[in-house]
Amino acid sequence: MANIDAPMGFNPVGKIGSGPPQKAGSYQITDDVIFQGDAVQIASNTGVLTQAGVGTTNVGVFWGCNFDDSTGKPQFKNQSAAGQASEAFVYDDPYQVFELQGKSGVNSAQTDVGRKADIVVGTGSTTNGVSGMELDTGTFATGADINCTVIGFSGNPARNAVGEAHTLYEVLINEHMYK
């Protein structure tokens, strides 16, 4: 059965090692649009979060933000708004395990486990605030300057058909600020 094509960015599913699992750190955003599940970095010129890309050193994965709206009412959103300063919540543990969908056009294989691949920065959804990032399975390599390391496949039976496109991989962020 084919996997569904539904990019969702990085979805936290576990952790390698000991310590508290899936704890989010607090960071600041000033004006960047970031979607839930986007890999993020700290901008060197401002010290605040921005969306990460290929070849960047990531601090983790954005999971939502708090801010006060124009009436002073506190808000929590999956997506940060352009021009809106807010407190961001980021899964910033370098040993956090995430699910990440493989991109279109490339079928998965068991030999992908242990390999590294960059990310594809897709367009997030302004309807639900969810990321469009995917694993660029066309860039599998073994070098150190690659965004993610594949450690396995998802346990989701609708999304883990090995040998098909759009497989959900379990990954670690390889280019991580805290490693």
Side-chain angles (χ1 to χ4, degrees), residues 84-107:
Q84 175 67 58
S86 57
E87 176 188 20
F89 301 101
V90 175
Y91 286 109
D92 58 4
D93 186 328
Y95 299 103
Q96 177 73 48
V97 177
F98 298 96
E99 289 179 331
L100 184 61
Q101 176 181 294
K103 75 173 189 171
S104 298
V106 180
N107 290 352

Side-chain angles (χ1 to χ4, degrees), residues 101-130:
Q101 176 181 294
K103 75 173 189 171
S104 298
V106 180
N107 290 352
S108 60
Q110 186 62 42
T111 56
D112 295 344
V113 176
R115 297 175 79 193
K116 296 177 176 137
D118 281 323
I119 56 175
V120 176
V121 179
T123 304
S125 169
T126 56
T127 303
N128 62 19
V130 174

Side-chain angles (χ1 to χ4, degrees), residues 111-118 135-150 174:
T111 56
D112 295 344
V113 176
R115 297 175 79 193
K116 296 177 176 137
D118 281 323
L135 188 67
D136 190 352
T137 48
T139 64
F140 275 130
T142 56
D145 59 345
I146 307 290
N147 290 122
C148 299
T149 300
V150 174
N174 191 46

